[in-house]
């Protein structure tokens, strides 16, 4: 049997030279923020060379394309203008905690 790890998302991606570190996070079952939302907590780190990261991104883009084709997810560009504007407004208010993207 293989080990599995669930993650709610990626907390941070750090690139140092030829090494990429991807921090996986999940929402805490016990810790809450000021709005009573679960706090994201670090769970595990994936470390890989840059070329493996580039291959992984390519593979994920292909998987996303399949999800879009099947209708499982929609891209913002495919939505009506008003709905896309609402999503972009909400995202603009959110700050990325990673120093790599600020």
């Amino acid at each position: 049997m293989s080990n599995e790890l669930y993650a709610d998302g990626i907390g941070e991606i750090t690139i140092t030279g030829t090494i990429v570190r991807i921090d996986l996070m999940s929402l805490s079952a016990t810790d809450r923020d000021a709005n009573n939302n679960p706090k994201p907590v670090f769970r595990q780190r994936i470390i890989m060379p840059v070329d493996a990261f580039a291959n992984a991104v390519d593979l994920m883009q292909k998987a996303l394309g399949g999800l879009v084709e099947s209708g499982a997810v929609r891209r913002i560009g495919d939505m009506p203008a008003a709905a896309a504007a609402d999503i972009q407004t909400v995202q603009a208010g959110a700050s990325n905690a990673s120093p790599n993207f600020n």
Side-chain angles (χ1 to χ4, degrees):
M1 177 158 211
S2 65
N3 291 328
E4 294 182 4
L5 174 73
Y6 175 82
D8 286 308
I10 295 174
E12 184 172 354
I13 298 175
T14 305
I15 302 170
T16 307
T18 61
I19 301 297
V20 177
R21 290 173 175 81
I22 304 168
D23 291 347
L24 301 177
M25 50 76 62
S26 62
L27 299 176
S28 173
T30 56
D31 293 337
R32 302 286 177 157
D33 65 13
N35 295 326
N36 203 31
N37 295 318
K39 286 185 178 180
V41 293
F42 171 83
R43 292 294 180 208
Q44 198 158 10
R45 178 173 291 141
I46 299 170
I47 303 170
M48 63 178 64
V50 169
D51 58 335
F53 175 74
N55 290 336
V57 169
D58 184 51
L59 183 61
M60 285 187 243
Q61 286 176 335
K62 289 176 183 173
L64 176 60
L67 291 170
V68 169
E69 277 185 32
S70 70
V73 296
R74 294 187 332 186
R75 296 178 189 251
I76 290 178
D78 298 338
M79 296 178 158
D86 289 343
I87 291 171
Q88 289 173 339
T89 300
V90 170
Q91 288 176 343
S95 153
N96 190 327
S98 171
N100 296 320
F101 301 103
N102 288 333

